[in-house]
Amino acid sequence: MKVAVYPGSFDPITNGHLDVLKRAASLFNIVYIAVARNLQKSTMFTTEERLEMIRGCTTQYENVRLDSFDGLVVDYARQVGAEVIIRGLRALSDFDYEFQMALMNRHLEKKIDTVFLMPHEDYTFLSSSVVRELVKFGGDISGFVPTNVEAALLKKIRR
Ligand code: ADP
């Protein structure tokens, strides 16, 4: 039984994250999407809102579980019995940070490896922060996020 954790801020989840999730779900028996609670950065959406948006666009995956976590990813991975951390790699610019994190996590727990998955090239320029900026300035985000997330973003900026 191979269990993986896909951790992140998911503020909000985008089609790029979903592309990585789809690949991970086909490779592992169970994939936990784990929303980080204790972020240094302030988020547009609360943890509950981020989870709700993910729930709304991942129901087709029987082997994907939703959760949130505090503290170290490796501690959370151990708790759920995962041996793999999934991360998406869009471009070389992601590499430095991800490489450092992956080695630090392996230093903390040698049984846990990080697996990097490359999204479809259509999503290499896509990030949650770009989506948040676009929606604030009235840009069309429909190709970048699922419809339930688009609705949540529009509702949030109208408040
Ligand atoms: P974090 O704040 O931990 O980087 P994110 O929610 O921004 O969390 O991203 C979580 C993971 O998803 C990271 O590995 C990130 O590289 C990856 N990711 C983000 N956007 C995309 C995308 N468009 N395509 C593929 N992977 C992505």
Side-chain angles (χ1 to χ4, degrees):
M1 192 74 162
K2 285 284 176 200
V3 181
V5 167
Y6 182 23
S9 328
F10 304 108
D11 185 40
I13 191 163
T14 68
N15 289 343
H17 292 125
L18 287 171
D19 182 282
V20 167
L21 180 70
K22 184 177 76 187
R23 293 169 201 279
S26 72
L27 291 169
F28 297 96
N29 298 104
I30 297 177
V31 178
Y32 285 87
I33 306 192
V35 173
R37 281 185 176 274
N38 60 342
L39 295 170
Q40 302 290 336
K41 49 189 176 185
S42 63
T43 53
M44 183 174 195
F45 293 97
T46 65
T47 307
E48 304 320 317
E49 288 170 333
R50 285 179 277 149
L51 282 168
E52 191 53 42
M53 284 184 283
I54 299 171
R55 197 169 293 123
C57 60
T58 56
T59 45
Q60 70 272 39
Y61 299 110
E62 279 179 10
N63 60 338
V64 169
R65 314 253 192 283
L66 285 195
D67 203 356
S68 62
F69 73 104
D70 266 324
L72 296 174
V73 175
V74 287
D75 288 339
Y76 174 75
R78 249 189 242 119
Q79 265 173 43
V80 297
E83 290 170 10
V84 169
I85 295 170
I86 303 287
R87 295 289 288 178
L89 265 191
R90 284 161 289 190
L92 208 53
S93 49
D94 282 337
F95 185 78
D96 264 353
Y97 174 73
E98 293 295 342
F99 187 63
Q100 190 184 2
M101 288 281 289
L103 290 185
M104 177 53 80
N105 283 331
R106 200 166 62 189
H107 173 80
L108 294 171
E109 174 51 86
K110 64 178 187 310
K111 288 192 203 127
I112 298 178
D113 266 305
T114 302
V115 169
F116 293 102
L117 294 172
M118 273 65 74
H120 189 279
E121 56 271 25
D122 287 354
Y123 303 126
T124 49
F125 59 92
L126 179 57
S127 67
S128 300
S129 57
V130 162
V131 167
R132 292 194 305 269
E133 283 296 298
L134 261 178
V135 81
K136 272 184 209 157
F137 298 113
D140 179 12
I141 51 164
S142 56
F144 303 139
V145 292
T147 50
N148 69 310
V149 173
E150 184 182 3
L153 276 158
L154 293 172
K155 192 171 160 200
K156 181 70 93 178
I157 57 156
R158 282 200 202 107
R159 253 182 222 154

